[in-house]
Every structure is written in structure tokens, then in C-alpha cells.
Amino acid sequence: ILQFGLPFTSCPLLPPTRAPALDPCSAYISLNEPWRNTEHRINGSHGQPACDGHMAGEWYRFTGMAGDAMPTFCIAENHCGTHAPIWLNGSHPREADGVVARQACASFNGNCCLWNSSVDVKACPGGYYVYRLGKPSVCFHAYCGHFYDICDMVDCQGSCLDTSDCTCSPGTTLGPDGQTCLDENECEQGNGGCSELCVNLKNSYRCECGVGRTLGRDGKVCEEIEGCHNNNGGCSHSCVEVGDSYQCECPRGLVLSEDNHTCQVPVLCKSSSIEVSIPKDLVGGLDLSLINTSCKGVSNGTHVNIHFSLKSCGTIVDVINDKIIATNLVTGLPKQTPGSNGDIIVRTGKLLIPVTCEFPRRYTISEGYVPNLRNSPLEIMGRNQGVFPFTLEIFKDKEFEEPYRDSLPTLKLRDSLYFGIEPLVHVSGLETLVESCFATPTSKIDEILKYYLIQDGCVSDDSVKQYTSKDHLAKHFQVPVFKFVGKDNKEVFLHCRILVCGALDESSRCAQGCRRRMRRAADVEDEEEEAPGHMVNHVLTGGPIRIDMDD
């Protein structure tokens, strides 16, 4: 509060008191479970692997048998009490750095960073570190702790100026406490000399290449794979020579992913659900389930099928860049039958299958004043892409409960038009913004004659009234019925563009609400969105409604 000189005497306004922010170095939660340590490897005798699904973005410190700090090098799968251990991909900060962000990686199936997220790290005066750790996107993920070596005292010969000096072994560097030897991240300096990927290891590092390429003799530069004789052509399964080239093939029941080298289980992304079909040959004696273990797979004799909705079975829905991403994890555990060999690690590790469906964030839906009875939610089905379903409904009154469905009514110019954007799937953690709504005299979305009701998230016509809705994704509006000039223009179609965002993202376009743009900038942006390589708008068309000009 800025207090200026007031021309009268009174009790001054006091600024509101706020609770002082707690220093994470003194207000943290200890993680001391022995299984978190990098030396702890899970096997069949330790039961179900750990999952840090209870983490909630608080500050944590590794203590006791868990270790001193998070490891800053790749940890192999099935360590730290879980299948996919999480390690810190970056050096620990100095105390003067304050709070810094670092990438956290989860290792699995030979990939040191198959999943990644961001965590905050702070060096504390006592020579230890605290971490702000969020809930992992899937199970089974858990954060690792590590015991770092204590440095050796310098062996003084002759005169020593400082006998407290420490020396650390190659590949490590002295920590802020003056005695702990932290791992040195060689990848932070010039990418370790690697032409593509650099992976930090304990006291060392290694270079890796993307799919379809292999390391050259120097161990740093990646080269194209020339055939199946070289690293199986980079194929995850079968490699077949075809003339002067080669191609990857998959066993029956699996399909090639977009990289044309990796075989994956087919995933069907529908507008309101996800289907996974796993060949029975891969299942063996395993019981398959999702993150919520009550969601089980059902066998049809040849495949084990798992069907679940976007809001069940532990499915996590998030907004990343221009996509809505839904993820879950298929987990296989040995059946508890007399024939089971009880080897949980190997068999389970082979069948931890991450499932991902991607949906675009921006949609354009079109309707006449009344939905066409033939109109249905648009679905684009594929292995890993789908359409998040919305419909544009015309309602009978301002209660927005009963839409027109059985017939196409004729509205008079003095009537009110009630319309709304309705989600067919109700998912928490998301919000919507109606970027624009405009009317045309025909069903064509690119009609030259347009009339905007909403533009750039702002109401363009003062007669438009917005109502609050029970569902946070739905948007309801009222506007007086209108028609286009011209005796032949007796029909009106509505088109609305909707954007989906993360509800907690305060910087998202949805959170900004009304944001008017210069017309030229808006036109350029619209052209860019429709250009090849950008997200495609999906259109539903219906109607029309006829305007009664009599009376």
C-alpha cells in the first residue's frame, strides 16, 4: 500500500500482515526410507514396488538410510525400491544460487530419461540440500537418495599451509560442506563432446544416439545405421533387408511407432475413452492392471484388452504446449498360481507399458441454431491421437438443461436464442475459453459474410449475455435471434472456437480471458494456426434454423 500525504488527520491505514514465508531449509519433510537409496535393488521378495504418488509439491530432504542427496547421474531401472527411479539431471547448486530448477529424469527400459519433469533445489547453510518434489506422472516412479563419498585429507609432506584441504576422486567435485564429494556432471560442459545425447553416469558419462543412428568409433559422433548388421538396424524387434535398404518389423499384435523403429502395443484413443489391446503371447502368466489396480485386463483368447475412461483408473490428464495429454500405465504382475516362478522383476519389467493419448487443445465446432439430428461428436481414432469431445447445443430456455433434439424449431426475431458449449467428457484439472463465436448465413465456416458474437475471448455484441454453468468446462450464452440482411438469407449457422487449458496454469490463454488483438495480428495468427504443421481444426456442421419473418 502506497500512503500519500493526506490533508486530514486520521488513523493511518496499516498494511495487511502476512505470515512470513517459511525457509525451506528449516521447514522440510524428511525422506529416510532405506529403499530410496541407490544401492537398494528390488526383487521378488520385496513385494510391490514403491510409488511416490503422495508427493504434493512440498520441500523434502533426504536423511538417514535414504542417503545424503539425490543422485545426479543415471540410475538403472529396478533400483531405489521402484521400477523407474527418479534422479537429478543437473548439478546441485551453491548456497548463493538460491532456489534453482533442475530436470528430474525417470529411468526405464534402458532409457535414462524416459520420463522427465522439473523440480526445485536449494543448497542450505548446513551443507545439505532440499528439494521441492511433485507427484510423478505415473507409477511406479520414486525419488532416489544417494550416499556421496567423503573426501580424503591431503597427505601433507614437508610444510603444509592448510591441513584441512580435501581432495576428491576423478569424476567428482567438492561439495559446499567442504567434505562431501559430489558427482561431476560432464554433460553440462559442451554436452560432454557428444554430437547428440549425453548421459551423466556415476563418476563418468556416455554418449547416446537417437533412433536409427549409432555411435561411431570415437564414441561421441553419431552415424546413420546402414543395415541390419549394425545394431539390428536400430529396430526394437525384427530387422529385414529390403534391396539396398532395410525396414523394421513387429511381431503379430504389435505396431510400429512413429519413429519406424520401435514396436509398441496398439492404443485406441476415443473421444471419451482409451482402449489398449495386448497380444496374449506377451502376457504369459501375468495379471494386467492400470495405475488403479482395480482396473483389470480382460482376455478374449488372443489379446488382453483394457478399456478405461479419461477420468477413471488413475488416468492423469495434463495440458502440455498445444496438446491435452492423457497418460496411464499398464502393469503386469505374476499370477499367484502354483505354476508361477515368482520372478517379479524380470517379468514385470517387460510389461510396464506407458499409455499416452494426445488430443488437440483448440476446436472449431459449427451448428445451425438447432443441432442436426444426424450430427454426432467427431472422433478421430488412432494409436495415440484423438479428439476431446465438445458439442454446440441449442437450448429451449435459460435453464440450459433441455436442448432441441427431436425437431428443428422456427424462431422469430423477437425470441431469445440460448446456446452453449457442452463437453461430453467431464475431466477435472482443465478449463475452457471460448475464443470466438460467429454466425454465417450458410454452413460454410469460411463464408465471407460473418457476424461475430465473441472475438478474442471478448463479447463483441453487447446483447450477448453469459450465464454461469454447473460444469466448469461448459459455457452458456443468450442472444436475441437475428438474421442476415437479404430476403434470401433465412437461415443462420453458429461457429465457435474453443481452447482447452490446464486449470492451474495462471499464464495460460484461458486464464487471460478477454484479450483484444490488432486485426492484422489476429489475421496472421489465424493463418498460422491453419498452416501445415500446426494443429488442425475439427468442424461439426448441422442445422439450419429458419427465421419466421411473419408477424
Side-chain angles (χ1 to χ4, degrees):
I1 297 177
L2 296 178
Q3 184 175 355
F4 298 93
L6 300 178
F8 57 89
T9 60
S10 63
C11 296
L13 293 176
L14 297 177
T17 58
R18 296 182 179 178
L22 297 177
D23 182 4
C25 289
S26 58
Y28 55 78
I29 300 171
S30 292
L31 299 177
N32 56 11
E33 300 92 340
W35 52 261
R36 289 191 183 276
N37 194 270
T38 52
E39 297 299 324
H40 186 96
R41 181 181 176 89
I42 62 173
N43 55 48
S45 64
H46 288 87
Q48 191 174 26
C51 178
D52 274 337
H54 64 281
M55 296 291 194
E58 302 291 339
W59 285 95
Y60 298 88
R61 175 187 174 185
F62 289 86
T63 62
M65 295 303 295
D68 306 317
M70 286 187 68
T72 56
F73 48 86
C74 179
I75 305 299
E77 63 186 88
N78 294 330
H79 283 76
C80 305
T82 191
H83 285 307
I86 303 177
W87 56 283
L88 197 67
N89 189 15
S91 298
H92 280 90
R94 299 284 176 175
E95 187 177 340
D97 297 333
V99 177
V100 300
R102 291 287 186 265
Q103 184 187 58
C105 287
S107 309
F108 186 71
N109 199 27
N111 188 332
C112 287
C113 204
L114 185 59
W115 296 273
N116 69 83
S117 61
S118 180
V119 301
D120 290 336
V121 188
K122 179 177 173 61
C124 296
Y128 58 90
Y129 301 95
V130 290
Y131 310 83
R132 182 159 30 207
L133 306 177
K135 179 181 177 180
S137 58
V138 297
C139 283
F140 296 96
H141 290 184
Y143 293 97
C144 287
H146 180 68
F147 282 122
Y148 285 95
D149 294 334
I150 302 299
C151 68
D152 296 324
M153 302 300 290
V154 173
D155 184 14
C156 292
Q157 296 182 1
S159 61
C160 291
L161 297 178
D162 189 350
T163 58
S164 64
D165 285 344
C166 277
T167 179
C168 292
S169 60
T172 63
T173 183
L174 191 62
D177 61 358
Q179 63 177 5
T180 303
C181 293
L182 301 177
D183 183 79
E184 181 180 0
N185 192 335
E186 293 87 353
C187 295
E188 292 183 334
Q189 300 295 327
N191 200 39
C194 304
S195 64
E196 292 192 15
L197 303 176
C198 181
V199 179
N200 192 46
L201 306 175
K202 186 177 181 180
N203 301 345
S204 183
Y205 72 101
R206 72 165 178 259
C207 299
E208 292 183 353
C209 301
V211 175
R213 292 179 296 281
T214 186
L215 281 176
R217 293 183 177 180
D218 63 357
K220 293 188 176 183
V221 178
C222 295
E223 302 173 348
E224 293 294 329
I225 296 177
E226 298 177 352
C228 296
H229 64 279
N230 191 348
N231 193 30
N232 196 41
C235 304
S236 64
H237 288 74
S238 301
C239 182
V240 178
E241 301 281 357
V242 180
D244 296 334
S245 184
Y246 71 97
Q247 66 184 29
C248 300
E249 294 184 353
C250 298
R252 186 179 64 177
L254 298 184
V255 294
L256 271 179
S257 64
E258 293 180 355
D259 62 20
N260 291 322
H261 286 77
T262 306
C263 296
Q264 66 178 31
V265 170
V267 177
L268 186 62
C269 301
K270 293 187 175 182
S271 60
S272 59
S273 63
I274 301 174
E275 295 181 9
V276 185
S277 182
I278 304 172
K280 196 171 182 180
D281 294 342
L282 296 181
V283 176
L286 301 182
D287 280 324
L288 302 187
S289 63
L290 295 171
I291 291 177
N292 183 336
T293 55
S294 64
C295 299
K296 304 285 188 181
V298 178
S299 175
N300 64 3
T302 60
H303 292 75
V304 176
N305 300 311
I306 304 180
H307 180 275
F308 56 100
S309 73
L310 299 182
K311 58 178 182 177
S312 67
C313 298
T315 305
I316 297 173
V317 179
D318 201 359
V319 177
I320 301 177
N321 297 327
D322 63 347
K323 292 181 173 126
I324 305 169
I325 298 181
T327 59
N328 210 309
L329 185 72
V330 177
T331 302
L333 292 174
K335 296 179 179 179
Q336 298 302 315
T337 62
S340 174
N341 60 16
D343 190 353
I344 295 178
I345 297 304
V346 174
R347 300 180 71 186
T348 304
K350 298 286 185 183
L351 277 174
L352 276 179
I353 304 172
V355 177
T356 301
C357 277
E358 297 180 353
F359 303 87
R361 287 180 58 199
R362 186 173 276 109
Y363 297 88
T364 301
I365 56 179
S366 304
E367 281 288 4
Y369 275 158
V370 177
N372 190 313
L373 296 180
R374 295 173 299 174
N375 190 27
S376 60
L378 177 66
E379 295 182 1
I380 297 179
M381 298 182 293
R383 292 199 309 272
N384 58 0
Q385 293 184 348
V387 171
F388 203 73
F390 287 91
T391 59
L392 177 56
E393 298 281 9
I394 308 300
F395 294 91
K396 295 183 178 181
D397 53 44
K398 63 181 179 180
E399 299 300 323
F400 296 96
E401 292 181 353
E402 187 179 359
Y404 288 104
R405 294 194 184 278
D406 298 332
S407 61
L408 300 176
T410 299
L411 301 179
K412 299 180 182 295
L413 289 180
R414 63 175 177 266
D415 293 336
S416 288
L417 171 67
Y418 301 97
F419 68 97
I421 309 300
E422 295 290 327
L424 297 187
V425 178
H426 306 277
V427 180
S428 60
L430 301 176
E431 66 174 335
T432 54
L433 172 70
V434 179
E435 286 191 313
S436 63
C437 278
F438 59 92
T440 58
T442 71
S443 61
K444 296 180 181 180
I445 194 172
D446 57 352
E447 177 73 51
I448 296 177
L449 188 59
K450 293 181 180 179
Y451 180 74
Y452 276 91
L453 300 173
I454 299 172
Q455 194 170 17
D456 303 329
C458 310
V459 173
S460 301
D461 185 321
D462 292 338
S463 66
V464 176
K465 179 180 179 181
Q466 182 171 358
Y467 289 78
T468 58
S469 57
K470 297 177 182 178
D471 190 315
H472 63 287
L473 293 180
K475 305 295 181 184
H476 295 153
F477 303 92
Q478 174 189 353
V479 65
V481 171
F482 60 90
K483 71 177 290 292
F484 285 91
V485 175
K487 64 179 182 179
D488 295 331
N489 291 328
K490 297 182 179 181
E491 300 174 348
V492 176
F493 291 79
L494 288 179
H495 314 268
C496 292
R497 174 174 291 179
I498 304 100
L499 179 66
V500 183
C501 309
L504 299 180
D505 185 0
E506 297 180 354
S507 62
S508 71
R509 177 67 187 91
C510 296
Q512 296 172 9
C514 174
R515 188 186 68 183
R516 298 191 184 278
R517 300 175 290 176
M518 297 296 292
R519 191 68 255 148
R520 175 174 174 79
D523 293 340
V524 170
E525 183 173 317
D526 291 340
E527 292 175 2
E528 290 176 348
E529 288 173 356
E530 297 173 1
H534 287 71
M535 185 170 49
V536 178
N537 288 322
H538 306 281
V539 178
L540 301 178
T541 302
I545 180 66
R546 289 177 173 80
I547 307 301
D548 183 1
M549 294 299 296
D550 296 335
D551 192 23

